[in-house]
Amino acid sequence: YEIRPRDWSSDVCSSDLRVLNQLLDGYIMSRNTVPADLEELVRAKMLSRIPPAPAGKKFAIDRKTNRVLLADQ
């Protein structure tokens, strides 16, 4: 999946989160393990790059829920 550069908005962020969670689910199902970080999705060629997050935030994997969320940097 290729995420194109664009200006940040809440709709864009929600869309990116939805796509990242779908890709994370696919990674977990195909490899039967949770990636250490989102860069593993890039290395697995499931994602061209991690999308930019809003200022002061980053996309991260919540290990308790196996979901991608926005975390403080």
Side-chain angles (χ1 to χ4, degrees):
Y1 180 81
E2 183 174 347
I3 296 178
R4 297 185 177 102
R6 57 191 171 222
D7 292 331
W8 181 86
S9 73
S10 61
D11 288 341
V12 169
C13 188
S14 294
S15 175
D16 287 345
L17 276 170
R18 187 171 39 259
V19 169
L20 289 170
N21 276 300
Q22 289 171 347
L23 293 171
L24 178 62
D25 289 344
Y27 184 99
I28 293 169
M29 287 176 49
S30 67
R31 290 170 174 78
N32 207 25
T33 188
V34 178
D37 56 35
L38 292 173
E39 285 295 332
E40 281 195 38
L41 299 179
V42 176
R43 288 189 293 274
K45 299 190 186 316
M46 296 177 76
L47 185 64
S48 61
R49 65 181 176 80
I50 298 171
K57 301 286 186 180
K58 65 179 181 176
F59 291 107
I61 300 171
D62 180 336
R63 303 311 238 162
K64 292 180 182 177
T65 62
N66 291 339
R67 305 309 300 154
V68 178
L69 48 75
L70 277 175
D72 292 330
Q73 283 190 332

